[in-house]
């Protein structure tokens, strides 16, 4: 039986199409994935992200312990700052990609992918053993909503406040603070998975539905739309944000995924560092690139990618990009042909369709 | 339901519709099919002059969430393909029985229409399977 978020019945009542997404019954769309995508790019949309997991780590050595678990350097964060990072295995592959919330050097929260909660939890527990840091899996008790789009700040400003007294609009990108929205206590984080300005709100699971309705009500003047995973996927695709389990996994390293910026090799020791050092020395054999289709057709996960008649890789994600108005995709391909502008062929139903690698993100505001 | 299952069409179990006029037959996908697929973003159709066979795949319709094969309700030669879908595939969603049609066929065996469901049978079929 797939798991359900606190909003499962709400989604049903609202007429959403529900699908089993990595073990969770989630709305794929309410009305139209394209309209929901557009709402987020142009105004504001609201997503249920309660399927995501949250691990709370506390202890005198929380900072150094988390810093040993992830490849990014959390010591570079101020308290109240969030950071994207990889949770790597000994081979340098992604156990998961996570957001680290640094409440303080003694208190960190990891936000992990829904499909990986059990695996990540076991991994974290195993690797913090002996550090004196205690971990708590808060995933089931925590609800999470993502309010995304250029108008998200306006919507949240009407119903939200930070306990610090700072205005919601003053919260900087990739920063978070405790506060409330419509009277519901939550952590307000200026983060997201869409490429737009916006917030992710963490609250008690039991309050998630009230928060959901309050935000939809507050967003009415801006034409807010409830959004499903369809829009979430096309939005992240246009930004070339990886999806764990599809674009990155245990067998792919941050270097291969061109996520070098989340790897801090100067940091003392962290899981996977040894393997990454070796890979850096040898050079990567494959790279995760973005490409646009030149010929008609839509690239999909698993399609073979060719260059000069030879298979050089496989598509990890692809779809029609609603904002860029063309078919786009990502693939790991041999690093020798991974530079921008390389002409590729994607095998779509036994036909070789021309494609070309491009600079990413595919979509840029105002471009 | 008349809007969603017009009486002047016949239907396949794969949710294509066909509207015949003499030997000519216009083919599309049903309201139910487009609703299940979600936003259509790409349609791949055979060239004019191609032959299609009843029950065999003749093209593909892709939505933001799925790739789905199209099966010919009847056999024959493709006389026209809906070129408007190249730039506006969403017509399949907004007007599945009108501007969102897919191909027009000159039927080689119009008696094949007889095995397809009429609107009432298709409605019963939808209720029995969904």
């Amino acid at each position: 039986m797939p798991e359900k978020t606190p909003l499962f019945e709400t989604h049903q009542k609202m007429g959403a199409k529900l699908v089993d997404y990595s073990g969770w019954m989630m709305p794929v769309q309410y009305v139209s994935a394209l309209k929901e995508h557009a709402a987020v790019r142009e105004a504001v949309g609201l997503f249920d992200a309660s399927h995501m997991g949250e691990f709370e780590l506390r202890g005198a050595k929380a900072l150094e312990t988390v810093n040993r678990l992830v490849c990014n350097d959390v010591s570079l964060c101020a308290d109240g700052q969030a950071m994207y990072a990889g949770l790597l295995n000994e081979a340098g592959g992604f156990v998961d990609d996570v957001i680290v919330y640094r409440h303080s050097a003694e208190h960190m929260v990891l936000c992990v992918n829904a499909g990986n909660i059990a695996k990540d939890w076991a991994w974290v527990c195993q690797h913090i053993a002996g550090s004196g840091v205690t971990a708590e899996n808060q995933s089931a008790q925590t609800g999470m909503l993502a309010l995304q789009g250029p108008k998200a700040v306006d919507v949240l400003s009407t119903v939200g406040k930070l306990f610090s007294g700072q205005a919601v609009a003053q919260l900087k990108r990739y920063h978070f603070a405790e506060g409330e929205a419509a009277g519901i206590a939550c952590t307000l984080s200026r983060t997201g998975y869409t490429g737009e300005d916006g917030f992710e709100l963490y609250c008690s699971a039991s309050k998630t539905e009230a928060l959901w309705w309050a935000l939809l009500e507050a967003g009415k003047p801006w034409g807010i739309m409830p959004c499903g995973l369809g829009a979430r996927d096309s939005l992240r695709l246009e930004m070339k944000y990886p999806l764990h389990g599809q674009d990155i996994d245990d067998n792919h390293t941050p270097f291969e995924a061109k996520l070098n910026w989340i790897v801090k090799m100067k940091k003392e020791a962290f899981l996977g560092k040894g393997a990454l050092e070796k890979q850096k020395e040898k050079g990567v054999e494959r790279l995760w690139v973005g490409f646009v289709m030149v010929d008609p057709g839509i690239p999909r996960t698993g399609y073979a990618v060719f260059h000069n008649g030879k298979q050089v890789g496989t598509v990890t994600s692809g779809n029609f990009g609603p904002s860029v108005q063309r078919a786009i995709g990502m693939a790991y391909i041999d690093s020798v042909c991974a530079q921008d502008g390389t002409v590729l062929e994607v095998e779509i139903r036994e036909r070789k369709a021309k494609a070309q690698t491009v600079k990413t993100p595919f979509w840029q505001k105002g471009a | 339901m008349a809007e969603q299952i017009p009486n002047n069409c016949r239907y396949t179990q794969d949710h294509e519709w066909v509207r015949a006029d003499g030997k000519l037959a216009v083919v599309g996908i049903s309201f139910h099919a487009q609703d299940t697929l979600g936003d259509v973003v790409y349609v791949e159709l055979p060239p004019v002059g191609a032959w299609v066979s009843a029950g065999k795949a003749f093209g593909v319709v892709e939505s933001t969430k799925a790739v789905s094969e199209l099966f010919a309700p009847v056999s024959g030669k493709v006389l026209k393909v809906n070129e408007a879908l190249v730039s506006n595939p969403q017509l399949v969603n907004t007007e599945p029985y009108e501007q969102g049609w897919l191909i027009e066929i000159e039927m080689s065996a119009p008696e094949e229409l007889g095995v397809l469901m009429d609107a009432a049978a298709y409605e019963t079929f939808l209720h029995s399977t969904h």
Side-chain angles (χ1 to χ4, degrees):
Chain A
M1 274 292 282
E3 302 204 50
K4 293 169 183 170
T5 76
L7 289 175
F8 174 74
E9 278 160 26
T10 308
H11 299 316
Q12 274 187 321
K13 265 186 260 167
M14 294 178 79
K17 283 202 171 75
L18 292 153
V19 293
D20 182 344
Y21 169 77
S22 52
W24 292 77
M25 282 312 283
M26 296 300 291
V28 64
Q29 67 172 50
Y30 292 85
V31 182
S32 146
L34 292 178
K35 287 188 182 131
E36 291 160 26
H37 178 109
V40 172
R41 287 275 182 256
E42 289 155 22
V44 58
L46 184 65
F47 299 82
D48 178 17
S50 302
H51 56 317
M52 304 289 281
E54 297 82 15
F55 303 160
E56 193 142 22
L57 288 90
R58 289 174 192 270
K61 291 186 173 173
L63 172 60
E64 60 174 279
T65 303
V66 169
N67 234 6
R68 213 178 55 240
L69 280 172
V70 301
C71 59
N72 211 334
D73 189 352
V74 189
S75 75
L76 301 175
C77 284
D79 294 349
Q81 208 174 344
M83 183 178 246
Y84 179 61
L87 199 61
L88 306 184
N89 58 33
E90 301 289 359
F94 280 97
V95 175
D96 203 357
D97 60 337
V98 302
I99 303 280
V100 182
Y101 288 91
R102 177 174 164 158
H103 288 261
S104 72
E106 294 80 41
H107 180 200
M108 309 267 168
V109 173
L110 301 185
C111 178
V112 307
N113 282 299
N116 294 336
I117 294 174
K119 180 184 79 161
D120 290 356
W121 178 243
W123 180 262
V124 167
C125 289
Q126 179 194 339
H127 288 95
I128 65 168
S131 68
V133 170
T134 58
E136 210 175 323
N137 183 351
Q138 298 276 11
S139 305
Q141 300 95 284
T142 308
M144 178 178 174
L145 300 181
L147 183 71
Q148 299 283 302
K151 302 298 181 195
V153 63
D154 298 312
V155 176
L156 197 56
S157 295
T158 64
V159 290
K161 66 171 187 189
L162 305 179
F163 292 145
S164 65
Q166 188 191 25
V168 167
Q170 297 303 310
L171 195 61
K172 283 189 251 164
R173 185 92 186 131
Y174 264 82
H175 284 67
F176 66 97
E178 299 305 316
E180 58 179 41
I184 297 158
C186 50
T187 303
L188 292 78
S189 168
R190 201 150 193 177
T191 47
Y193 193 46
T194 61
E196 295 299 325
D197 185 19
F199 296 83
E200 291 175 305
L201 307 172
Y202 297 85
C203 66
S204 154
S206 62
K207 298 287 171 68
T208 318
E209 191 188 349
L211 183 59
W212 172 263
W213 291 118
L215 291 172
L216 286 181
E217 185 62 33
K220 269 187 187 162
W222 289 276
I224 194 169
M225 286 186 85
C227 300
L229 293 181
R232 191 168 159 88
D233 196 55
S234 55
L235 288 158
R236 70 99 193 164
L237 204 66
E238 288 184 332
M239 296 307 296
K240 202 188 175 225
Y241 292 158
L243 173 62
H244 190 274
Q246 197 165 303
D247 303 304
I248 53 175
D249 58 25
D250 297 87
N251 301 315
H252 291 87
T253 72
F255 292 158
E256 292 171 322
K258 294 173 80 167
L259 292 168
N260 303 48
W261 66 276
I262 66 166
V263 182
K264 299 295 175 342
M265 293 303 280
K266 285 182 185 152
K267 207 171 66 162
E268 220 170 291
F270 63 90
L271 282 164
K273 188 182 180 188
L276 291 183
E277 272 169 344
K278 274 187 204 140
Q279 189 172 57
K280 202 173 181 182
E281 212 176 278
K282 269 180 57 188
V284 290
E285 286 173 10
R286 56 188 176 187
L287 283 167
W288 192 50
V289 299
F291 63 85
V292 296
M293 293 306 299
V294 178
D295 284 342
I298 295 178
R300 301 281 183 178
T301 307
Y303 287 6
V305 179
F306 294 80
H307 176 62
N308 291 336
K310 180 177 156 263
Q311 187 176 349
V312 292
T314 307
V315 175
T316 57
S317 287
N319 210 330
F320 178 74
S323 300
V324 296
Q325 281 291 305
R326 62 189 307 176
I328 57 176
M330 282 95 84
Y332 283 99
I333 62 172
D334 290 355
S335 49
V336 287
C337 51
Q339 62 275 28
D340 295 337
T342 303
V343 175
L344 301 171
E345 286 176 315
V346 180
E347 192 170 62
I348 302 178
R349 294 180 286 278
E350 285 147 39
R351 170 173 66 88
K352 294 223 171 68
K354 203 177 182 193
Q356 192 164 27
T357 58
V358 291
K359 270 200 196 344
T360 52
F362 297 98
W363 189 83
Q364 270 174 314
K365 196 131 208 146
Chain B
M1 288 301 272
E3 242 171 72
Q4 299 180 4
I5 310 178
N7 279 319
N8 60 354
C9 297
R10 296 185 79 84
Y11 300 86
T12 70
Q13 296 199 351
D14 302 305
H15 308 285
E16 286 87 10
W17 57 260
V18 55
R19 195 163 51 222
D21 179 10
K23 290 193 81 174
L24 301 183
V26 179
V27 175
I29 65 168
S30 73
F31 179 91
H32 171 83
Q34 66 76 29
D35 186 56
T36 306
L37 273 169
D39 299 279
V40 172
V41 290
Y42 180 68
V43 181
E44 198 166 277
L45 298 172
V48 169
W51 281 85
V52 298
S53 305
K56 295 276 164 58
F58 71 90
V60 163
V61 56
E62 298 199 28
S63 71
T64 53
K65 61 183 188 199
V67 183
S68 187
E69 278 195 306
L70 297 162
F71 298 95
V74 289
S75 308
K77 191 165 98 172
V78 178
L79 294 182
K80 288 184 196 163
V81 301
N82 188 354
E83 298 291 343
L85 300 181
V86 175
S87 57
N88 194 5
Q90 277 217 277
L91 288 171
V92 174
N93 294 114
T94 53
E95 300 182 45
Y97 299 103
E98 301 298 333
Q99 298 303 307
W101 63 280
L102 302 172
I103 56 172
E104 187 179 88
I105 299 171
E106 183 182 25
M107 290 185 280
S108 58
E111 66 277 11
E112 286 170 346
L113 288 168
V115 302
L116 301 176
M117 290 176 275
D118 64 12
Y122 182 58
E123 187 170 351
T124 307
F125 172 72
L126 285 182
H127 286 245
S128 65
T129 52
H130 300 279

